[in-house]
Amino acid sequence: MPRLLRVGAAQIGPIYRDDTRGEVVERLIALMEEAERKGVELVCYPECALSTFFPRYLLERSEAERYFEESMPNPSVQPLFDQARELGVGFHLGYSELDGGNHYNSSILVDKEGRIIGKYRKSHIPGTSEPIPGQRFQHLERRYFLEGDTGFSVWDAFGGKIGMAICNDRRWPETWRVLGMQGVELVIVGWNTPLTHYRKGISYSRLTEFHSKLSLQAGCYQNGTWAVGVAHCGEEEPDYVLMGQSMIVSPLGEVVALSTTLRDELISSTIDLDAGKEIKEGVFNFELYRRPELYKIISEPTGTNPSKG
Ligand code: ING
């Protein structure tokens, strides 16, 4: 009997600088209601799903603070938790977390009763902590967020083994392998990825969407896991466009659902959580084929060619 789970990627279009939490939560609830009508059991919202993607700005600390959640849930997002419990739908939510004075780029996994069953804090924080001179938009995640201290975990939930990653994490094979070693069957990863790379003139800007898809397809195939990738996307202000391409990817690396807009958009699929079994027992039978004694260098801080920064 296949272990079926109906999942949805609830892509969020532009959230403008002065949009209130209440306005955003209404949009999240509308997507959850659409998902429930389509039989979705687990709705996945993106990274930083409650506010504009503020790391593009150089802000005073007091201004930046307004984008952080001091508790989760809290009065602004409680309606989302209530609606989820009412509809019997679980969800994933990315948000900016303030915890004891520390600022993290975080995500939670919430069950169908509205209980938080897992929290993850983004490990790979891209961008810079100081603005790059002469650039109209910045990518100051390293100014606003600490590197996550949770590491990568897998939770027994929704009838399977669910893991979380956030945005830049998807680009690092270590993310996927650490989850894969824990038997992950579904990785949920939200993102805010500027279509025009935050460093001007970068050679790979033109490949932004390709590299996102490549990262998910490779991660899924090489670890025999499903992934729901979900974008916070669209033109959040003139000339600042975040990519979409929310997608659901199978353990064989196939894209089974793909968003086609840069707006609020739900894509969904009924996934078989056993679909990765054959490849995990075949090509990627870790116990039989892996050679960890040869891999030690990848747990070192840098390889033989440390980056010049
Ligand atoms: N955003 C981007 C991401 O990793 C980035 C940063 C963009 C890195 C393009 C490399 C290339 O998708 C976040 N929020 O991590």
Side-chain angles (χ1 to χ4, degrees), residues 1-6 41 158-159 270-274:
M1 181 68 175
R3 283 178 298 137
L4 301 181
L5 176 63
R6 189 140 180 82
E41 302 167 79
F158 302 95
T270 299
I271 66 173
D272 174 3
L273 290 166
D274 288 318

Side-chain angles (χ1 to χ4, degrees), residues 19-87:
D19 285 353
T20 66
R21 291 286 192 292
E23 288 164 335
V24 177
V25 168
E26 277 176 25
R27 290 166 58 184
L28 301 181
I29 288 176
L31 284 163
M32 182 178 281
E33 290 171 339
E34 177 186 353
E36 193 271 340
R37 288 194 297 272
K38 293 179 175 174
V40 169
E41 302 167 79
L42 171 53
V43 180
C44 303
Y45 297 111
E47 171 195 35
C48 294
L50 296 173
S51 76
T52 198
F53 191 62
F54 63 89
R56 64 176 175 275
Y57 301 122
L58 175 59
L59 301 170
E60 293 298 321
R61 176 51 73 182
S62 56
E63 163 82 8
E65 287 295 321
R66 66 192 267 247
Y67 296 113
F68 286 81
E69 308 303 322
E70 296 186 5
S71 64
M72 184 54 71
N74 61 52
S76 302
V77 296
Q78 191 57 49
L80 180 66
F81 281 74
D82 296 343
Q83 185 69 359
R85 194 170 44 250
E86 172 85 17
L87 296 174

Side-chain angles (χ1 to χ4, degrees), residues 47 53 122 126 139 141 167-168 170-171 192-193 197-198:
E47 171 195 35
F53 191 62
K122 184 175 180 179
H139 197 99
E141 285 197 60
C167 203
N168 196 260
R170 74 191 187 281
R171 301 178 189 279
N192 290 256
T193 300
H197 191 275
Y198 58 88

Side-chain angles (χ1 to χ4, degrees), residues 91-124:
F91 65 96
H92 161 280
L93 179 70
Y95 65 101
S96 302
E97 177 192 14
L98 177 59
D99 176 43
N102 294 324
H103 299 76
Y104 296 103
N105 187 334
S106 303
S107 63
I108 50 172
L109 187 60
V110 182
D111 69 15
K112 296 179 180 178
E113 288 71 44
R115 285 189 303 255
I116 296 175
I117 45 185
K119 180 162 78 177
Y120 170 69
R121 289 169 171 163
K122 184 175 180 179
S123 306
H124 301 94

Side-chain angles (χ1 to χ4, degrees), residues 52-263:
T52 198
F53 191 62
F54 63 89
R56 64 176 175 275
Y57 301 122
L58 175 59
L59 301 170
E60 293 298 321
R61 176 51 73 182
S62 56
E63 163 82 8
E65 287 295 321
R66 66 192 267 247
Y67 296 113
F68 286 81
E69 308 303 322
E70 296 186 5
S71 64
M72 184 54 71
N74 61 52
S76 302
V77 296
Q78 191 57 49
L80 180 66
F81 281 74
D82 296 343
Q83 185 69 359
R85 194 170 44 250
E86 172 85 17
L87 296 174
V89 170
F91 65 96
H92 161 280
L93 179 70
Y95 65 101
S96 302
E97 177 192 14
L98 177 59
D99 176 43
N102 294 324
H103 299 76
Y104 296 103
N105 187 334
S106 303
S107 63
I108 50 172
L109 187 60
V110 182
D111 69 15
K112 296 179 180 178
E113 288 71 44
R115 285 189 303 255
I116 296 175
I117 45 185
K119 180 162 78 177
Y120 170 69
R121 289 169 171 163
K122 184 175 180 179
S123 306
H124 301 94
I125 305 292
T128 59
S129 50
E130 292 302 321
I132 299 173
Q135 273 198 192
R136 185 170 167 205
F137 297 114
Q138 303 292 328
H139 197 99
L140 291 165
E141 285 197 60
R142 296 185 72 82
R143 186 181 193 89
Y144 300 123
F145 299 120
L146 282 175
E147 290 180 326
D149 56 358
T150 60
F152 305 102
S153 297
V154 170
W155 289 272
D156 290 313
F158 302 95
K161 292 187 172 303
I162 316 279
M164 291 188 273
I166 299 178
C167 203
N168 196 260
D169 288 330
R170 74 191 187 281
R171 301 178 189 279
W172 298 90
E174 293 88 346
T175 301
W176 298 90
R177 186 44 51 87
V178 168
L179 290 169
M181 296 288 284
Q182 299 173 71
V184 74
E185 295 168 332
L186 169 61
V187 176
I188 305 171
V189 50
W191 62 73
N192 290 256
T193 300
L195 260 181
T196 49
H197 191 275
Y198 58 88
R199 291 186 193 278
K200 281 291 151 229
I202 282 282
S203 64
Y204 45 80
S205 255
R206 64 185 178 82
L207 297 169
T208 300
E209 291 179 334
F210 167 67
H211 286 160
S212 177
K213 185 162 177 264
L214 177 68
S215 300
L216 266 73
Q217 289 185 291
C220 287
Y221 165 62
Q222 291 165 350
N223 295 281
T225 180
W226 288 94
V228 173
V230 55
H232 170 173
C233 58
E235 188 166 20
E236 293 219 322
E237 65 184 273
D239 304 333
Y240 185 81
V241 184
L242 292 161
M243 70 164 271
Q245 296 258 303
S246 301
M247 59 179 67
I248 300 172
V249 182
S250 84
L252 303 185
E254 291 178 296
V255 177
V256 300
L258 179 66
S259 71
T260 56
T261 71
L262 294 180
R263 298 189 303 273

